[in-house]
Structures are given as C-alpha cells and as structure tokens.
Amino acid sequence: VTTFNSPQLPPVTQRLPWPFVASALVAFAALYASGKFFVLMPVLAVLLVATAALPWRLPSSKILGWVVRVAVWIVVLSISPRRHTTGMSLNFGGSILYEPDYVHLFGYLAAAELVLRAWTFAPRGPSRGDALLLTALVLTAASNTTDRMPIQVLAPAYALLTILCLRAFDRSPGGRATDLLAPPHRSRPPLLALRAVAAVLAVGLAFSAVFVVTQYEYSITNWAMQFARSRPARQTEVGLSTSPQLTSVFNPQPSMNRVMLVEGPYADRHLRALAFDTYLNGQWLPALAHRQFELMPPPDLHRGTAGARLQFTPLVDTFELILLPLESAEVEFPGSIARDAQGCLLARAAPEDPHYAATVLPNSTFQGPLCLAPDDALRQRLLAIPPTLAPAVVSLARDVAGPGDPASRVQNLVRHLRTQHAYSLQYDPGDGEPLNDFILNARAAHCQYFASALAIMARAAGVPARYVNGYYAHELFGKNQTVVRDRDAHAWTECYLDGTGWVTVDATPDSGRPDQLFEQPSRWRHLLEYLQDLPRRIRAWASQLTLQSATVLTSLPVAVLLVVWLIRLLRTPRKLNAGARSYAERSAELSAAARRFDRVLAQVGHPCTPHRTWREHLVRLPDAVPVDREKCRTFVDAYEEARFGDCDERALAAAQDVLRELEVAPSPHQQAKEEPVPAGRP
Amino acid sequence: MDTSTTHMFATTIARLESNLSSVIRGKPDSIRLLLTSLLAGGHALLEDVPGTGKTTLAKSLARSISGVFRRVQFTPDLLPADITGSSFYKPQDGSFEFREGPVFANVLLADEINRTSPRTQSALLEVMSEAQVSVDGKRRELPKPFFVVATQNPSEYHGTYPLPEAQLDRFAVRISMGYPDAQSEIEVLLSHQDHHPYEDLDAVVDCEQVIAMQQQVRQVKVEPAVADYVVRLVQHTRADLRLRLGVSPRGSLALYRTSQASALLQGRPYVTPDDVRALAIPVLAHRIVLDTKSKYGGERNEQVIREALEKIAVPR
C-alpha cells in the first residue's frame, strides 16, 4: 500500500554552509585584529566551526535561549577590554564619532549572538537576513578603528564569501528567502559562469570602494563635516579685510556663503568689524595684527538699557572679531572680550561654537560699549589729513560742509557725495592719490571710496571721523532672522560729533548698498541652507533639554513600542498557546522508547525536530547518514501501532527489539570517516 | 477494528485504484485524494486548467462504482430547479408530479461549477451538506452514497462567479491535478490509440460496498493526541494575523474524517500524525481566506498551512 506524498518541506540538515561560516570567520578576524586581540574572538570562531562537527544543539526554547544569552552578555561585558571610560562620545567637532571600545563591544555581542543562533536548534536554521546582518555588524564594528590595514585586506574577502554564501540560500516558490540550512540549488554551467562574473565584479567593486575611501578619506570627512559642524573651517574668501586698500574693485568675488545669522527684530543694520583711524597711500591702518586689545571688565559690557535683543550666530571665522552694530548696549558672550581704542571687539577664550547676543537701541546716537570717546592723541589721528591729499579737496570739503554745527557739516558732505557721485563696482584710480581723482573729478566708484572720501572730507571740515568695514545686514529670512552673506561686505564712516558722540554715517548712494545691488537668493539655496542648519538647530534644541525631559523623550518611543507589543500580545492569545502545551501523556515505556529513538537520530548528527514526524525525517535524511533506514522504519511502524492503535503489547515489544538493534549499531563517527562526503552537501 | 476486515477493504480500494489509474495515468495522489474524500463521505473539488482529466476522473469513478452517474454542465443561465428537479402539472388527473433533477444520483459531476450564478451554486448547499432536496416544501432524500465532484478552472475569470466561502467549506478536499509527466503522457496517447480507455472500465464495487466502507471509516481509531494535533493546526490558522478567515469546525471535522479514510485506504485501523499532515493542505488550504495585504503581498494559502505544519509540535 502506497502512502501520500507528505507536504513539501525542506530537508533537515544541521550544518551551516561553508561560505557563510567562512565569511563570519573573516568578520571575526577583522574584529580580532582591530580590537587589540581580544581573547573571546578566537573562542567564538572555534565554537562557530564546531557546529559542523558536533551533533547536539541547544533546544529552541525561548526561556533557555534568553538565559544563555544573558549569561553570554555578562561574560562579554566583564572580560572585554575597556581603556577609555569617557562613555559614548558623539563628538562632531573632533574626529571621533563613537568610542571604538564601545563599538567593539557591540561587535563582540553581535558575534556572540551569531554563534548562539548557530548552536540553537531551530527547525529552519538561522534566517538569511539575521545571519548576514550579524556578520555585517561584526565587520562594521571592526571598521571603527584607526588601524586600516586588516580591514583593507579582509573586507574584499568578506564580500566574496558573502556572495558565495547567498548562493547557499534556498528560495521558496514565493521568491522569499527561507532558511540557511537548506541545500543550495544545483547550478547549470551558464548560470555558474554568470555567478562567477558577478562574484569577480563584486570583489572588484569592494576593492575599488576601499581604495576610493582610503584615497579620498580626508575630503570625504571634510565634506561630511560641512553638514555636521555649525562652523566650517576658516575661510579665506571673506569679504572683510583687516587692512583695507583702495583698489579698483571691492570684495572681488562676492559669494553667497553665509557669514552670520542674526535673530531678532528686523532692521537694516551696519555690523561693524574693524574701524581704522590712519589713512596712508590708499590704505587704511592699523592692521588687525598691530592693534592693542585690552580685556574688557564685564561691567563695561552691560549698559543696562532696554532695546531689541539680537542673537548672533557666526557661521564662518571672521578673524575672531565680534561683529556688532555701533549702537549695541549690552553684550552677552560665552567667553571674554577684548577691545581696542576704536571700539572693535575680539573674542578671547571663546568656546568652539560661540553664539553671542546684544541689546541694540533704535536710537542711533546711543553711546554703548563700542563708542569710546577719543583721547587727545587719537583725536589728532582722527583729524589728520593725509599729506598726499590735494589742497583742492580740503577746500572743496570746507566749502561743501559749510559753517554749521558738526552734524550739519557731515550731512552736507553726505548729500554732496550722494548727489555728485554715482556708484560703480569698477573704478580705475590710476597713479597717485586715488581720493584726489575720485573727489575732484566726481568719479563713480564703490563703497570704499565713499567711506574714505567722507572720512577725509569730514576731517577737513573739522569733524573727527574714521573708516569702518563690516557687513550690511538686510536679508530677511523667515520671520525674525537676518542672513548675512559674504557679498554683504560693506564700508562706511563713523563720525565723532562733539556733544553727541560716535554716529554711523553711510555716504554710499542707495543703488550701491548690498541690499539693492544683488538679487534675492533662490528658493533652492534657502532649502539647502535650511538643511545645513538642521544639525545645529537640533543640537541647540537638545542642549536646552533638562535631564527629566530628555528621559521622557527617549523613553516615550520605548513606551509606545511596549504598548504596541502588548496590544499584539492581547490580540493573539491563542497563537502563543499553539504548540506550547504538551500532548496528553503516553505510557512510560512509550516515552522511553521515543526518547531512545530520538537519541539514535541525534547520534548520527541528524536529530528530528519536534515539528516533524519521524517518517518525514527518515525520508529526508541525506544518503550519507550512517543509519539503518529499514530498521528505523520498522521501529516507527511498530511504535506507531503501539502508540496510536490499540495499545498492543506485541507491537511495543517489537519496537523495543528493533530499537536495541539500532542502539548497538557501529559508532557513526567511525562510519563517517569511511564516507568522506559531508552530509547535506551536494 | 479487526485487521482482516481492514485488509479486505484495502484490497477493494486497491482494485478501485488500479481501475482508475488505467484511465488517469501518473496521478496516483489525485486518485487517492478523490477516494479518500469519497470514503470520508465528503465531496471533492477538482481545480485545474482545462484538459488535465478532471471530468474523466470523475466519470471513471462513477463508472467504477455501479451507481447512477449524472453530469451537470454549469452555465450562467442554469436555474436551481434545473439541478434539483421540479413539479410538473399533470393534466390527466390535475395533480403535480415531481420530476427528479440530476442531483438524484450517486455520483454528481458539477462541471465548471464557477460558471453558474451564486443562486444556483447555493442550491447545491443543502444538497451537499444534508444529502437531501427540499422542493415545494417537501423533503426528498438523495440516494446513498451521494458524492459530488465539482470541477473549476482557476486560470480563467471572465464570466465566472467565484465560489463563496460557505460553498468552498462544503468540499472536503480540493484537488489540483496538474499536468502529467512525459512518461505518463506518452501512456495516455498510446492508450487512446483506437478508443477511449474509459469505455473499457467495469464497475468494481457496488453502492453497498461503498456505504459499508464509509461506515468502516468511522471505526478507525483516532488517539486523543492526534485529535489534539488536528485542533492545534486549525486553531493556529484562526490566530494567524495574515488570515481574514481561519478554518471552521467543519474544516477540522473534515480533516479528522479524511485522516480516518486515509488510514483505512492504507489498511491501517488507526490514524497517525502523518495522515493528518499529508491531508492538511488539500483539506484546509481552500477554507482559509487571506487578508488583502497578504494576498497581494505574495502569500499563498498553501504556504500558510505549510507554515502551520512547520510550527506545531507533532505528537509522538
């Protein structure tokens, strides 16, 4: 009497495919080499290899699995080497993203988990995704090292073995990967050739990827840091000059790079960087390097007056200068500030990522910490007329200024410059004193000429004046943010009016101011800048979090996951019970016989899973397994008759007889030596 | 149950089997499944593409049993009365006479059952589960044994009405014939040389023997552990989140009964877990309904049952 074909189930074999074991070993070796030769890695490697030789497995019980897992964690945590104890660091500014020791620790845990799964008795074996993910995690952990040599050698080998390993996975009719223990499909020659080409290509790709990464590592890191760091490396192309010179062009490469973000009520503002008192042969002095800066005592920074509070976020390095409007009242800075006689501020002992704030008054004549009344010597310099200046300029200035008070004299001069001169980015000063030609011939030029001309003409009219450079903040972004770009570099004049103090005077015609000169930036640029700012915003937001709110925020997703898991648990109560409860008890003799037969199967390296019948298991045993199939079948027949038929003493006795014969059969290991074909492999 | 009785039935079944396999070549599994459902007192649904021998198999079975065989070709305009029968007016004496429809047979071949309207399909519901017909408020018993073999073509959907779940549930097994292998197909060609081998078939069992075997199936022993295994399989499908509809108690009863029949077919007076496992897919797969996401996510009913078999521990 024939039987039905049983449902199509993959055959039982207990060995992991060799390419998978080999790729895992390569990953282990990489971690061993990069993790200062931690003794656990060779132990794990030996254990993984031993799965092929030893027949027994851990039972697939979940509780036991977790007990063993936790024990392994404790062992790994207690013996793994840890030299730095600074904790997990996520230092974007420096070179380290994560402490290598902690990353290696995760690698050890992943390796231990892989070995544990290989030793656990699962009917379908470890799944492809899990197994490959674990080896990949081990290799990734090994890659977090400064010693690249082992990774460079081992990574291509890992890639090749992983590809070979993919071949060893079975595919179900639905196209989904099933298990690791299924035998691979037999390949036909054309397919084999195609696979060989694919393998060679993949190894080549792996090699070239390693080459590219090592060759351009520095640029890649720098590029990535652009996004991660709020303040990129020092830029040489800022429009600011530390000792400006009157040349044919000003800020020759006006770029769209952002220099600073200003948060607070919007207004057009002159953010001053440096003020200069001495004019010599077309150049304004003193240069930044030759200035005397003195530390400011904190009370000097705080002239308690109500006004608009502005927050400044520098995005590039502006020579450590603190850019502020002249009418700033209170300055808050995380480090200390030094100031020179011209009221220019320099950051001292500033943190990596300085933000500062200032209260700015709408009253343009307010004398804050930036407005220092000149002493006599400085007043002399602020009134000095350069010897190269033509006498005609002086007399013109006095004529234009008229006899009124200083404020009206300056106003007349500004009106004259604005009406008599046009704006032009290109101007050829020719030989000799550039200001003579500009002023006397009413030339068109850029803001440097207007600022210099006003300063010199004001001096000729008896008003102390200086040349100032900095940025003209005007570009509104969002509701209350002003973006200052490199192209907004500007120059203007500050005049000291007796009785009033320092005031900002901009003689450049409206058409020459940066807000009128350039077009608005595109939406794409705004989007890109927004994305660039995201890490900085997130960090700023995270730095404000208290310990409690941070705890709540991190535990919230965990709580949500827990609730979802609970709901799923409640929705499937029967599913959890299915198969968990044991079947009705059979007689002691039957139980003993079943246990003994299971032991016989385990001894030949092919224990039967609890999810299949012995009959199916016997049909699917590989040919090389040294066990008498005929006797096994006789046993199963007799056992089943005793178990499921009428409890027959005769059948049970027959089963026990066959069992005894099976148990005294020659040791499987001796037979295995005679048959070198590995079980379960084609 | 007596072993000699069992062997006697096994010989009868072997005769029946060889009779059928002389016509249907290379399909011993399909033949056994059909016989299993006959002995279990259930009905069979043959599902495959045209030309694979579904109708021939059903006709051969009917011919092998010396019973009444009727065939209904299901079409969209077929009415319930066309299959159950209806009362006709007799002008001679002014009374109504009931004329039996094709369901009054021992083997009913419902060909292309999915081509008729749901209304006519539903008329089969009572027929299949109760083996009786109610016309004009009068209950009429069908002859025994009563065995419905329905066929349908799953690959064509134009102008078809897919069977409702309630109707599908009434079929004990669903059998996919599949194409024969090359050797069997050659045998098919050669055996058709001068005439259809079907014409050579003789009846090898009579209706009484079939009824006796059906009663004998109920005597096959099922150990409580095996019944527990059947219930675990079925309950697993009810808890499966991918399924909109798990297996009904009618389904577990069908698995129980067909397992008994399968044991008897193999001359064994008791059911083993292997019987249950071999029948799980033909008996259960057509009763479950995948939810939309899983259905279009590439899951198959057979795969779900196969996974249940892989997950649930077997009694030993």
Side-chain angles (χ1 to χ4, degrees), chain A residues 232-413:
Chain A
R234 178 184 287 268
Q235 287 196 347
T236 48
E237 289 296 329
V238 268
L240 273 189
S241 168
T242 55
S243 71
Q245 182 136 27
L246 295 187
T247 50
S248 58
V249 288
F250 172 65
N251 194 10
Q253 292 169 314
S255 77
M256 297 286 276
N257 280 343
R258 290 176 306 164
V259 173
M260 183 178 281
L261 292 178
V262 185
E263 264 172 277
Y266 174 78
D268 291 356
R269 296 179 203 282
H270 289 85
L271 302 182
R272 64 202 292 276
L274 281 171
F276 302 87
D277 55 16
T278 309
Y279 178 83
L280 200 66
N281 297 327
Q283 186 164 25
W284 283 98
L285 297 169
L288 179 62
H290 302 116
R291 288 178 186 234
Q292 299 282 323
F293 281 95
E294 281 170 24
L295 273 184
M296 282 176 80
D300 265 13
L301 289 169
H302 299 289
R303 305 275 176 89
T305 317
R309 190 169 185 281
L310 300 181
Q311 270 238 304
F312 296 85
T313 310
L315 299 178
V316 297
D317 194 342
T318 47
F319 312 105
E320 308 281 307
L321 287 167
I322 298 174
L323 275 66
L324 283 174
L326 182 67
E327 54 273 19
S328 302
E330 267 189 84
V331 182
E332 296 164 29
F333 187 76
S336 47
I337 298 181
R339 177 175 59 178
D340 77 343
Q342 309 290 349
C344 303
L345 305 183
L346 197 66
R348 286 276 159 81
E352 169 89 16
D353 191 12
H355 300 262
Y356 54 93
T359 308
V360 179
L361 294 180
N363 177 8
S364 62
T365 56
F366 173 74
Q367 300 297 299
L370 274 65
C371 306
L372 288 177
D375 57 11
D376 286 345
L378 181 60
R379 198 183 171 88
Q380 284 300 314
R381 288 207 298 282
L382 289 170
L383 282 169
I385 294 179
T388 50
L389 198 73
V393 175
V394 179
S395 54
L396 175 70
R398 286 183 182 145
D399 284 352
V400 170
D405 59 349
S408 72
R409 272 181 269 163
V410 172
Q411 271 170 7
N412 290 339
L413 287 171

Side-chain angles (χ1 to χ4, degrees), chain B residues 36-92:
Chain B
T36 305
S37 68
L38 170 69
L39 293 198
H43 308 284
L45 176 65
L46 296 179
E47 194 179 90
D48 222 317
V49 290
T52 47
K54 300 184 295 280
T55 313
T56 314
L57 178 60
K59 273 161 66 183
S60 307
L61 179 70
R63 198 155 179 160
S64 303
I65 306 166
S66 59
V68 182
F69 168 68
R70 287 214 173 107
R71 170 181 176 158
V72 184
Q73 189 67 41
F74 279 67
T75 54
D77 57 352
L78 197 74
L79 293 175
D82 294 336
I83 58 165
T84 57
S86 52
S87 296
F88 286 82
Y89 179 64
K90 273 168 70 180
Q92 295 94 322

Side-chain angles (χ1 to χ4, degrees), chain B residues 247-300:
Chain B
V247 176
S248 62
R250 199 202 324 259
S252 51
L253 191 60
L255 185 55
Y256 185 90
R257 194 68 80 211
T258 47
S259 300
Q260 283 180 310
S262 159
L264 189 71
L265 243 75
Q266 294 166 58
R268 199 168 0 92
Y270 55 89
V271 174
T272 66
D274 279 300
D275 296 323
V276 178
R277 286 168 73 80
L279 284 164
I281 290 175
V283 175
L284 301 184
H286 63 284
R287 295 169 198 268
I288 57 176
V289 182
L290 287 165
D291 70 6
T292 317
K293 194 176 131 202
S294 310
K295 189 174 167 190
Y296 294 107
E299 301 271 3
R300 290 282 167 271

Side-chain angles (χ1 to χ4, degrees), chain A residues 1 3-5 7-9 581-583 586 608-616 639 641 643-645, chain B residues 29 32 36 221 225-226 228-229 232 241 266 270-274 277 306 309-311 313-314 316:
Chain A
V1 177
T3 57
F4 289 127
N5 284 335
Q8 291 296 308
L9 304 174
R581 88 199 131 91
S582 60
Y583 287 98
R586 55 208 155 157
C608 181
T609 81
H611 310 282
R612 291 190 185 164
T613 62
W614 283 324
R615 226 178 271 281
E616 285 169 355
Y639 175 87
E641 193 180 345
R643 168 81 171 102
F644 300 115
Chain B
D29 279 2
R32 291 191 76 84
T36 305
K221 184 184 173 187
V226 178
D228 190 0
Y229 183 54
R232 284 182 196 199
L241 290 178
Q266 294 166 58
Y270 55 89
V271 174
T272 66
D274 279 300
R277 286 168 73 80
R306 204 169 284 143
L309 290 172
E310 284 275 275
K311 274 183 188 153
V314 179
R316 289 215 174 112

